[in-house]
């Protein structure tokens, strides 16, 4: 099994990264703050006004370390990678499968079913942990509706039908999301999913953590040789990593949403760490962003038993394992794609 490496997040505005032999040196003003050996990294994320020298870009590309550039609030801007990994035959097979409606449908059905099942697990865990009987009842009712949506998605006769069940399940899930919040409910009230910009603190957290997850999934897909831009559930669109978004659907509830709920309910983030911007959007301050990234990195070290491999792996390796399993399925080495069903 592949070893879980680190992802270096550089969030201090004005930081400059340059190459020092086989290390990446971070300079702020005239002072060097940190040196990181490149062989310990699998990803580099630059937030906001962070600059990389050309030698750093070259070093990372040579060593297979993907570099993502995000805005301060986590909006994806660009990604830099080296030579395309994997072999061309795998990608050609991926393109053929994406264009074959029946073969693509088999992947779409299992991804949507896994997304709904994992959302249901999040809801049921919240129901078990909550002390309010009325809110517990509402959560269990939502879980029951999600069960039906998942069953229907698993036997959908077309990709559009599966997407329809996904949409219904998403409405049910997010309508119950506020009931899962037990921390500071005044500061973290959730009135529905909103983005570009997020209109409340919960949505700001969700969008931010989704950006972290997206980076890890894109890196995993490129590592195994799949094209992140050609998906099955998400249709092709210039500039959109459709396959990365496909894998995000099955993983976001278990890996991202659960972390957001933990941060809020354990009061690891506070309402004062969020600011209202012009236009009504909500943004996190720098300290809160760093706290969330730290929690994400810590969470990735926790181990779980993978439902298909039946062995314990760090959570941070789940995107890589799913990308690897998908690549094996595309090659014809598996009869079906084993999506991640959280236990």
């Amino acid at each position: 099994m592949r070893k879980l490496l680190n992802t270096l997040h550089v969030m201090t505005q004005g930081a400059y990264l340059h190459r020092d032999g086989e290390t990446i040196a971070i300079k702020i003003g005239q002072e060097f703050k940190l040196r990181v050996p490149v062989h310990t990294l699998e990803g580099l994320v630059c937030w906001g006004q962070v600059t990389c020298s050309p030698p750093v870009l070259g070093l990372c590309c040579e060593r297979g370390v993907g570099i993502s550039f995000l805005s301060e609030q986590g909006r994806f801007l660009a990604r830099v990678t080296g030579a395309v990994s994997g072999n061309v035959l795998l990608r050609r097979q991926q393109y053929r499968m994406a264009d074959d409606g029946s073969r693509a449908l088999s992947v779409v059905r299992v991804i949507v079913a896994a997304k709904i099942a994992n959302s249901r697990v999040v809801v049921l865990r919240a129901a078990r942990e909550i002390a309010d009987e009325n809110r517990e009842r509402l959560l269990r009712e939502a879980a029951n509706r999600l069960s039906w949506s998942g069953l229907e998605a698993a036997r959908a006769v077309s990709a559009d039908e599966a997407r329809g069940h996904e949409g219904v399940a998403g409405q049910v899930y997010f309508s119950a999301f506020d009931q899962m919040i037990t921390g500071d409910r005044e500061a973290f009230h959730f009135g529905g999913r909103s983005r570009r910009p997020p209109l409340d603190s919960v949505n700001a957290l969700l969008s931010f953590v989704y950006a972290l997850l997206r980076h890890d999934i894109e890196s995993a897909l490129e590592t195994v040789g799949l094209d992140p831009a050609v998906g099955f559930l998400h249709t092709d669109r210039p500039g959109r990593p459709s396959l990365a978004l496909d894998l995000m659907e099955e993983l976001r509830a278990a890996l991202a949403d659960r972390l957001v709920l933990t941060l809020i309910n354990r009061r690891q983030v506070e309402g004062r760490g969020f600011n209202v911007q012009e236009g009504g959007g909500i943004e996190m301050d720098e300290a809160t962003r760093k706290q969330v990234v730290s929690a994400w990195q810590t969470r990735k070290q926790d181990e779980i038993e993978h439902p298909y491999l039946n062995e314990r792996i760090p959570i941070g390796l789940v995107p890589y394992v799913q990308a690897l399993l998908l690549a094996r399925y595309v090659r014809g080495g598996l009869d079906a794609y084993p999506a991640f069903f959280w236990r």
Side-chain angles (χ1 to χ4, degrees), residues 148-327:
W148 284 108
S149 293
L151 290 172
E152 292 297 324
R155 55 192 180 207
V157 298
S158 69
D160 284 340
E161 182 183 338
R163 294 184 188 104
H165 294 304
E166 178 196 20
V168 171
Q171 291 176 356
V172 172
Y173 176 68
F174 283 117
S175 70
F177 204 87
D178 190 58
Q179 304 300 326
M180 294 188 276
I181 296 173
T182 60
D184 185 347
R185 288 180 55 79
E186 182 177 348
F188 294 100
H189 172 72
F190 182 79
R193 187 75 178 107
S194 61
R195 42 191 183 271
R196 300 190 192 95
L199 299 178
D200 58 51
S201 300
V202 181
N203 275 292
L205 279 169
L206 288 171
S207 294
F208 188 83
V209 178
Y210 290 164
L212 299 175
L213 178 59
R214 170 177 163 168
H215 169 272
D216 289 354
I217 291 175
E218 285 196 61
S219 296
L221 290 170
E222 289 165 351
T223 298
V224 303
L226 290 169
D227 188 341
V230 180
F232 305 100
L233 175 62
H234 291 81
T235 56
D236 295 346
R237 183 182 300 173
R240 181 166 75 176
S242 295
L243 188 60
L245 297 179
D246 285 358
L247 290 191
M248 276 188 68
E249 296 302 340
E250 64 181 88
L251 299 179
R252 69 170 77 219
L255 273 58
D257 297 357
R258 185 66 187 177
L259 175 64
V260 167
L261 288 169
T262 298
L263 289 170
I264 295 172
N265 292 341
R266 293 183 180 176
R267 300 181 184 270
Q268 293 175 271
V269 292
E270 300 179 355
R272 63 186 180 185
F274 298 80
N275 303 308
V276 181
Q277 305 299 307
E278 291 184 11
I282 302 295
E283 292 186 348
M284 287 183 281
D285 61 23
E286 183 177 352
T288 302
R289 290 196 299 271
K290 290 182 177 179
Q291 191 169 10
V292 174
V293 170
S294 176
W296 173 255
Q297 295 292 85
T298 300
R299 173 65 170 154
K300 286 166 63 175
Q301 302 296 325
D302 294 341
E303 291 192 349
I304 60 169
E305 182 173 328
H306 192 279
Y308 180 78
L309 301 179
N310 291 319
E311 64 180 80
R312 295 190 67 79
I313 64 170
I315 286 177
L317 280 184
V318 171
Y320 170 75
V321 170
Q322 292 310 119
L324 186 62
L325 292 172
L326 181 57

Side-chain angles (χ1 to χ4, degrees), residues 100-132:
D100 185 332
S102 62
R103 298 187 69 194
L105 176 60
S106 64
V107 180
V108 170
R109 280 193 297 221
V110 72
I111 285 177
V112 174
K115 173 184 179 177
I116 297 173
N118 293 336
S119 299
R120 180 176 178 272
V121 170
V122 171
V123 172
L124 286 175
R125 287 196 175 191
R128 290 195 298 269
E129 295 169 358
I130 207 161
D132 187 305

